[in-house]
Amino acid sequence: MESLRRRRTGIILLSLGYFLCLLAVGAAVFLNDAGPVTAYGLIAFCAAVYLLLVRPAIRRYTGAVREAVLEHVVCQDLEGFCYSRKEGISPQVVRDSGLLADNSGKAFASREHITGHKGGMEVELADVAFPIEEESQNSMFNGACLCLRWPGADFPAVEVRQGNLEGLQLPKGQMELLEDLGALIPGSLYLRAGGESITVLLRGRFLGSPINPLMPVTEQSMAVNPFPEAERLLALASLMRLGRRATKG
């Protein structure tokens, strides 16, 4: 937390220094009646400073904040947390779920990849984007993919598309968690459970949520979970597994 605060202070000072530099350049151009060559040269210099120094520094900082939020807030219940911003989930995971008519081919994209485990449950999460076919029309799916694999488990066969829970016969606690999974965006939830795995697609929900570099980093801000669906899914998997074992017993 303290390290992030220091880095935020550095970003603010860097941005302030850049803003003052812009003001100085603007004053030099207009007050001294600089010629077009000098003016364009100064503008190019300012653009180069921003692209090569300011913007990369801001991106590194926001990336560090996002990783901290994902590790200590979104995935606080996971052990062996591993995160890669540029890597992603395999397109085969989405195709094997059979939840959407995937027309992606080589157009499948994924990033913000997270892996870990909770007890015997293996967890994988990532943001995904790929073309799909909806109502005989081409469209895009943009959102998050969450995959749970629990060797030895026997999850009941459950399928949800576009948040439609009609006809499902599950215990009250499991139904409430299913409703919570798709509550933030109506119609966003796609889920398939069965055997040892549960796959969830959430349309319009992202692990790589925007980070405002000017917002202070405090205990309060780090306590707000921007992606509570991960916690809900872990709880749902535990209930499903326990319920299945109780039924067999």
Side-chain angles (χ1 to χ4, degrees), residues 14-96:
L14 178 62
S15 300
L16 180 60
Y18 180 69
F19 177 72
L20 293 175
C21 179
L22 286 179
L23 288 179
V25 168
V29 170
F30 291 105
L31 295 180
N32 296 325
D33 193 23
V37 175
T38 302
Y40 287 135
L42 290 173
I43 292 172
F45 171 77
C46 290
V49 169
Y50 177 78
L51 293 174
L52 298 176
L53 179 62
V54 179
R55 187 170 69 172
I58 292 175
R59 284 184 172 179
R60 287 192 296 270
Y61 169 71
T62 55
V65 174
R66 182 180 294 111
E67 182 173 359
V69 170
L70 290 173
E71 180 175 5
H72 301 293
V73 182
V74 175
C75 299
Q76 60 179 324
D77 294 331
L78 288 189
E79 304 168 33
F81 175 89
C82 184
Y83 168 71
S84 175
R85 183 180 64 86
K86 295 184 178 181
E87 295 182 5
I89 207 165
S90 167
Q92 196 62 41
V93 172
V94 176
R95 298 189 185 111
D96 289 347

Side-chain angles (χ1 to χ4, degrees), residues 79-206:
E79 304 168 33
F81 175 89
C82 184
Y83 168 71
S84 175
R85 183 180 64 86
K86 295 184 178 181
E87 295 182 5
I89 207 165
S90 167
Q92 196 62 41
V93 172
V94 176
R95 298 189 185 111
D96 289 347
S97 73
L99 289 168
L100 289 161
D102 174 18
N103 291 334
S104 65
K106 295 182 179 180
F108 184 93
S110 180
R111 59 189 301 169
E112 307 294 342
H113 189 230
I114 297 172
T115 58
H117 64 91
K118 182 180 180 182
M121 179 168 42
E122 301 169 1
V123 183
E124 186 175 17
L125 307 89
D127 286 340
V128 294
F130 54 92
I132 59 173
E133 183 177 320
E134 282 185 317
E135 300 176 355
S136 301
Q137 294 184 350
N138 293 329
S139 183
M140 283 293 295
F141 182 95
N142 293 284
C145 180
L146 302 84
C147 301
L148 304 183
R149 288 176 288 274
W150 202 330
D154 184 19
F155 294 118
V158 177
E159 184 174 307
V160 178
R161 295 173 186 266
Q162 295 183 318
N164 186 3
L165 304 181
E166 293 182 9
L168 290 182
Q169 300 294 323
L170 292 172
K172 180 181 178 182
Q174 296 180 29
M175 288 299 296
E176 290 176 347
L177 287 169
L178 271 176
E179 292 170 358
D180 287 347
L181 271 171
L184 291 176
I185 301 179
S188 65
L189 174 63
Y190 295 76
L191 177 146
R192 173 162 286 172
E196 297 182 342
S197 67
I198 302 177
T199 302
V200 171
L201 291 167
L202 289 168
R203 197 169 193 173
R205 295 289 292 148
F206 301 96

